[in-house]
Every structure is written in C-alpha cells, then in structure tokens.
Amino acid sequence: MGAMARTTTGRRDLDLAEVLRALGDPTRLEIVCLLSDRVSRTTSEVAETIGLPASTCSYHLKQLRSAGVTACHIDGKNRYPILRIDELDVAFPGLVGLLVAEDRKPASDGEPAPA
C-alpha cells in the first residue's frame, strides 16, 4: 500500500434503520456476502464478480458506505470496499452471521430452512 493509502467510512456511528435499509436491497446483500470473506478486492473486481456494470456497483457500494456497513480503503486510483464486520458485530451481535449464513434462503421444496 502506497503513501497515499487511506480508509474512509460514510459515517462513524451505526444506526439499525439505516443499516437495514441498505441491506434490504438484494444486490447490496449480495455485495455484503461477497465482502464477508475479507478478501481484498477493488471496486471493479466486486462489480465483475457480482456481474454488475461498474456504475451500478459504485452506486450500491456508496449506499452501503453511507449506512456505515462498509468502509473504503483508497490506495492511489484503486478503491477497496471493506465490510465493517467487527463494528457491525459490536453494534448488532450476530447480524453479519445471519446475513451470510448458507441456510438463510428458504428450501426449494417450499419448506422453511432449518433454524
């Protein structure tokens, strides 16, 4: 990381209503699930992985950052969105785990997923 590297967040404190509003969009939820593995990816790599145009992905990342769900590490011309897992876990224990759980989707036969 170069001398120009810095990390920004959209806000310092986390508000449950703002976080849930940001996470209520399926695309943003997909981005959060992707970022939950803590692998460093540029904004372009996130867009490519999710299958979104860069401008659409940037919009969704901005919404997540504004709600405090993510931060953005900037290194030169590259931007690396970072899920604020630790801060979210302190403010809302278990939320990230519920969001990224494999079994959170309903079973395909119409039966609810096991708890």
Side-chain angles (χ1 to χ4, degrees), residues 13-16 19 85-95:
D13 54 341
L14 292 166
D15 176 71
L16 183 59
V19 168
I85 294 174
D86 297 333
E87 294 93 336
L88 289 165
D89 278 343
V90 167
F92 315 113
L95 177 64

Side-chain angles (χ1 to χ4, degrees), residues 1 7 9 20 40-41 46 49-50 52 58 70-71 82 87 103:
M1 307 264 168
T7 301
T9 58
L20 293 177
S40 182
R41 296 176 180 88
V46 171
T49 301
I50 301 292
L52 293 174
S58 291
T70 61
I82 303 161
E87 294 93 336
D103 63 349

Side-chain angles (χ1 to χ4, degrees), residues 48-68:
E48 184 177 315
T49 301
I50 301 292
L52 293 174
S55 60
T56 302
C57 187
S58 291
Y59 167 77
H60 287 294
L61 287 168
K62 180 180 179 184
Q63 298 303 308
L64 289 168
R65 191 174 64 251
S66 294

Side-chain angles (χ1 to χ4, degrees), residues 17-79:
E18 291 291 321
V19 168
L20 293 177
R21 186 177 7 249
L23 296 173
D25 182 277
T27 300
R28 292 194 283 270
L29 186 55
E30 187 175 0
I31 291 169
V32 166
C33 289
L34 176 67
L35 297 177
S36 70
D37 65 6
R38 299 182 191 236
V39 172
S40 182
R41 296 176 180 88
T42 64
T43 301
S44 298
E45 291 169 331
V46 171
E48 184 177 315
T49 301
I50 301 292
L52 293 174
S55 60
T56 302
C57 187
S58 291
Y59 167 77
H60 287 294
L61 287 168
K62 180 180 179 184
Q63 298 303 308
L64 289 168
R65 191 174 64 251
S66 294
V69 175
T70 61
C72 183
H73 179 75
I74 302 169
D75 188 9
K77 292 183 179 182
N78 293 316
R79 295 177 180 270

